[in-house]
């Protein structure tokens, strides 16, 4: 299950990638992605610290992505705001597990591993390539919502 913060971060980078290289302000991003502006500003800090986006102040300022969409796996976005936590030992510290995971935690870790692999193998470019009538935040839909001038 993705947290709201992770989904918001993914919405923001998809929006930036679809508008690249045109910068988008926090207000524009918040409107397009339907993320509260104050919450989005905090998310953007995490993305900036991770080097996925850059921000520029001034009249032509805003946020832009730092790499080409095909160079940004979704895992980078996820880990920039809420790193995936895998199970490496029993979270209950049960001594009889002797450093092994019980069947429940082993299976949960396998599921997390599969999700991590899917996030790593999917890039922003993959998402942009799938744009269609039912997919939110795609280029045509974004352009009708916000003027790019």
């Amino acid at each position: 299950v993705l947290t709201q913060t992770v989904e918001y971060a993914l919405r923001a980078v998809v929006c930036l990638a679809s508008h690249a290289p045109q910068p988008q302000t926090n207000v524009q991003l918040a409107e397009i992605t339907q993320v509260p502006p104050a919450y989005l500003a905090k998310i953007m800090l995490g993305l900036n610290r991770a080097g996925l986006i850059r921000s520029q102040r001034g009249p032509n300022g805003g946020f832009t992505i730092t790499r080409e969409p095909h160079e940004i796996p979704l895992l980078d976005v996820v880990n920039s705001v809420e790193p995936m936590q895998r199970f490496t030992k029993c979270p209950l510290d049960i001594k009889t597990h002797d450093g092994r995971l019980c069947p429940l935690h082993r299976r949960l870790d396998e599921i997390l591993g599969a999700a991590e692999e899917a996030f790593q193998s999917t890039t922003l470019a993959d998402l942009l390539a799938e744009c269609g009538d039912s997919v939110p935040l795609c280029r045509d839909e974004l352009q009708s919502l916000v003027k790019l001038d």
Side-chain angles (χ1 to χ4, degrees), residues 59-79:
N60 296 320
F63 297 102
T64 55
I65 60 172
T66 58
R67 296 181 274 169
E68 293 296 319
H70 71 273
E71 298 173 333
I72 302 176
L74 299 187
L75 186 61
D76 288 0
V77 178
V78 171
N79 284 336

Side-chain angles (χ1 to χ4, degrees), residues 23-79:
Q24 298 298 302
T25 67
N26 196 68
V27 172
Q28 289 171 315
L29 283 171
E31 182 178 332
I32 295 167
T33 61
Q34 299 179 27
V35 176
Y39 195 35
L40 181 60
K42 291 179 184 178
I43 291 169
M44 299 309 280
L45 283 173
L47 294 169
N48 191 26
R49 282 188 202 117
L52 295 174
I53 65 165
R54 74 173 58 92
S55 63
Q56 181 177 331
R57 295 181 186 261
N60 296 320
F63 297 102
T64 55
I65 60 172
T66 58
R67 296 181 274 169
E68 293 296 319
H70 71 273
E71 298 173 333
I72 302 176
L74 299 187
L75 186 61
D76 288 0
V77 178
V78 171
N79 284 336

Side-chain angles (χ1 to χ4, degrees), residues 7 13 18 22 27 32 38 46 67 75 114 116 118 123 140 147:
E7 185 183 340
V13 295
S18 69
Q22 179 72 32
V27 172
I32 295 167
R67 296 181 274 169
L75 186 61
E116 191 174 58
T123 67
D140 295 338
K147 288 186 177 182

Side-chain angles (χ1 to χ4, degrees), residues 8 13-14 23 32 49 80 86 90-91 100 112 116 125 137 142:
Y8 286 175
V13 295
V14 166
I32 295 167
R49 282 188 202 117
S80 73
R86 300 281 304 271
C90 176
R100 295 181 312 248
L112 289 170
E116 191 174 58
L137 300 177
L142 291 171

